Amino acid sequence: MVELNKELFCNLGDRSVDGYFIFNYTAQNFLYLNKPLTNIWELESDEGVKDPKLFLERVHPEDLAHVMACYTECVNEEMENKYEFRLQFPGREKYVRVSVFSITDGTNKLLVGTVEDTTAIRHNKIHIEQINARKNITLEVLAHDLKEPLGMMKLIASSMKEGVAQTGDERMINSLAFIQDMCERNLLLVRSMVNKEFLKSSVVEIRKERADLVWELRDVVRFYKRSKLGKMKHIKFTSAAEQIYLRLDSMKFIQVINNLISNSIKFTADYGHINIHAEEQENTVLITVSDDGIGIPEELHAGLFNHLPETLRPGLKGEESGGFGMGIIKAIVDLHQGKIWFESKTGVGTTFYIELPK
């Protein structure tokens, strides 16, 4: 059984820049609150002691159910738990991380813990994740936009080379051969860059934090719709709720969605439809990425997530496949304790399903 040295704990709290507290769950009052904790909640020192409900009133409405579930969990478990949620103030919000454990002190159950204001860290992390996600999407868009003119230049150079060959002009023939070679090299370079970035952003170690899935997906789709690719395809996002919260490694999971959308673009004709949908179920969240493209032949279904060479196909405009995207996608979904599967019919389209636990 965990024992609490109250004097030592309070001495540490009086010297700390983080919040320290001892809450008597049995009596429903605070036995100890340090000054930094009331500063985080922007309360006067004695307000929280007199009325503990004031702390709950500062919790962001969207996170209230989450906080109450955390409260119930830590009361029932005599082990340390860590939670992150938001506080709401007029025109702004704060992120806080609470480390708490419950102990029994005679007939009283106590909740003892520390609180850290993580607002600046969280905002910086969100900003970095947005930059990384957009970088990967931008690379995918640029790869598509660059490959088309480079492919055309290669084709034209090849055609010209055949005509010039009849004249015997070695200098012109060599120049056109050089253009062909440079186009081929740059096509490979573009695809290599995209593949390497996907691999780097998909390292198997993940760090999950509570995130709004709807916001993350909407941001990805918004970026695609603003690009040239979005003007050539009808890309649409729908959700059964305004917010869906779950624990994610946002940067890596959004790369999964990015890769699925990219594949749909490759195998869907111009002005075809690509739909992304999210809905909350009882214990899980279901995300679908569907298209009305050429579909996946039935003989390729079994090996799609297994890096098999026979599953690699060029896109409708000759886009190459890196050969490992689907394997990494499944690995990332597995690391989120989720499931991924698909349904596809040749000439009708494909739908990928991702089911994640709440």
Side-chain angles (χ1 to χ4, degrees):
M1 180 182 293
V2 177
E3 293 186 3
L4 175 66
N5 185 328
K6 294 182 184 176
E7 183 178 356
L8 175 61
F9 184 84
C10 295
N11 284 336
L12 288 171
D14 291 341
R15 290 165 173 76
S16 176
V17 295
D18 293 330
Y20 276 61
F21 67 89
I22 303 173
F23 181 71
N24 188 329
Y25 171 76
T26 307
Q28 290 290 292
N29 59 24
F30 282 101
L31 301 180
Y32 173 75
L33 286 173
N34 70 345
K35 181 66 175 173
L37 189 144
T38 54
N39 287 343
I40 291 171
W41 256 261
E42 300 184 16
L43 297 170
E44 296 298 329
S45 296
D46 58 346
E47 282 185 297
V49 175
K50 291 179 180 177
D51 188 2
K53 291 181 181 178
L54 289 175
F55 285 91
L56 203 57
E57 291 175 3
R58 291 282 202 272
V59 174
H60 197 292
E62 293 175 3
D63 292 358
L64 190 56
H66 169 63
V67 169
M68 294 307 298
C70 295
Y71 177 68
T72 301
E73 181 182 61
C74 65
V75 165
N76 294 328
E77 296 181 6
E78 289 199 0
M79 59 182 292
E80 184 185 21
N81 291 286
K82 292 185 179 182
Y83 307 106
E84 190 170 51
F85 54 89
R86 293 171 295 169
L87 307 178
Q88 188 177 52
F89 301 93
R92 59 194 171 87
E93 61 186 27
K94 287 182 180 179
Y95 285 86
V96 295
R97 182 180 295 128
V98 179
S99 298
V100 58
F101 60 90
S102 66
I103 63 173
T104 301
D105 183 21
T107 59
N108 293 317
K109 183 177 281 283
L110 307 180
L111 300 181
V112 182
T114 61
V115 180
E116 180 185 2
D117 184 344
T118 59
T119 305
I121 296 170
R122 181 71 176 184
H123 285 170
N124 287 339
K125 182 178 183 297
I126 290 171
H127 184 59
I128 291 168
E129 287 180 351
Q130 287 176 341
I131 291 172
N132 274 311
R134 287 173 180 171
K135 172 207 67 179
N136 290 334
I137 297 170
T138 300
L139 280 172
E140 194 65 54
V141 171
L142 283 175
H144 184 277
D145 289 351
L146 286 172
K147 286 176 75 174
E148 190 172 337
L150 286 170
M152 289 297 295
M153 288 168 61
K154 179 184 174 184
L155 184 63
I156 292 169
S158 177
S159 178
M160 291 176 65
K161 184 180 173 184
E162 291 177 5
V164 172
Q166 299 175 10
T167 68
D169 189 335
E170 288 295 327
R171 182 181 175 187
M172 184 63 74
I173 292 171
N174 290 337
S175 296
L176 290 169
F178 175 77
I179 292 173
Q180 277 185 284
D181 183 58
M182 288 301 294
C183 287
E184 182 63 31
R185 286 173 181 269
N186 281 281
L187 283 167
L188 292 173
L189 175 63
V190 168
R191 177 45 55 189
S192 175
M193 286 175 60
V194 175
N195 289 345
K196 285 179 181 177
E197 287 302 317
F198 185 39
L199 281 172
K200 279 198 293 185
S201 65
S202 305
V203 177
V204 292
E205 182 181 350
I206 65 170
R207 182 177 178 180
K208 295 192 290 185
E209 293 184 340
R210 191 166 177 263
D212 180 0
L213 178 69
V214 173
W215 188 92
E216 300 281 0
L217 295 177
R218 185 175 284 131
D219 192 55
V220 172
V221 173
R222 185 186 300 120
F223 196 92
Y224 266 105
K225 291 178 76 171
R226 288 175 179 170
S227 72
K228 180 182 176 183
L229 294 176
K231 294 178 174 61
M232 300 300 291
K233 305 287 190 292
H234 297 292
I235 303 175
K236 183 180 180 181
F237 169 68
T238 56
S239 173
E242 282 300 312
Q243 288 98 22
I244 298 176
Y245 287 98
L246 71 167
R247 291 179 60 77
L248 288 174
D249 185 319
S250 298
M251 187 178 74
K252 291 183 176 62
F253 185 74
I254 290 307
Q255 186 60 25
V256 166
I257 301 300
N258 175 37
N259 194 261
L260 290 176
I261 294 174
S262 173
N263 283 341
S264 287
I265 288 170
K266 291 176 186 176
F267 297 105
T268 302
D270 287 346
Y271 309 109
H273 296 81
I274 298 169
N275 298 308
I276 300 90
H277 180 72
E279 64 180 74
E280 199 168 6
Q281 301 178 333
E282 185 175 356
N283 298 310
T284 60
V285 174
L286 183 67
I287 305 106
T288 59
V289 179
S290 60
D291 62 61
D292 56 3
I294 63 173
I296 303 169
E298 190 170 346
E299 61 270 20
L300 302 184
H301 287 197
L304 195 67
F305 294 116
N306 298 325
H307 309 274
L308 298 182
E310 58 267 26
T311 65
L312 307 184
R313 299 181 297 160
L316 294 181
K317 297 183 178 179
E319 300 97 332
E320 297 172 6
S321 171
F324 47 72
M326 285 299 171
I328 293 176
I329 283 173
K330 187 175 187 306
I332 294 174
V333 173
D334 288 345
L335 287 166
H336 282 83
Q337 289 80 52
K339 300 176 183 177
I340 181 169
W341 69 97
F342 67 93
E343 295 174 355
S344 186
K345 188 173 181 181
T346 304
V348 176
T350 302
T351 299
F352 281 90
Y353 301 88
I354 300 175
E355 188 177 59
L356 298 176
K358 288 184 182 177

